[in-house]
Amino acid sequence: MSTVNDIEAARLDAAEAEAKRFLKRLADLRAARKADPGTHPRESGAMKRASLDLTRALADVRRSPYST
């Protein structure tokens, strides 16, 4: 059985991983724009998806561990 601390730790780990993924996608988009100004739908879409996943992970962090 998972303890409250285990649940919170897992949620924090997930949020950290999503934050790192978002920052990587953001760096990819900036690099693509620097190399070739204009639109970059693949990089932009990947960054937006990572942003959405980060938002969901942060919502999980804010949720009470007692309401699992």
Side-chain angles (χ1 to χ4, degrees), residues 1 5 7 10 19 22-24 26 37 49 52 55 62 65-66:
M1 176 177 253
N5 288 336
I7 293 169
F22 169 73
L23 291 174
K24 169 72 170 96
L26 180 60
R49 179 64 207 197
L52 175 66
T55 299
R62 291 187 297 269
Y66 299 103

Side-chain angles (χ1 to χ4, degrees), residues 7 11 63-68:
I7 293 169
R11 289 179 180 176
R63 194 171 60 226
S64 172
Y66 299 103
S67 65
T68 56

Side-chain angles (χ1 to χ4, degrees), residues 26-40 43:
L26 180 60
D28 292 346
L29 176 61
R30 286 184 173 163
R33 285 186 176 168
K34 187 174 183 180
D36 178 27
T39 61
H40 298 279
E43 291 85 356

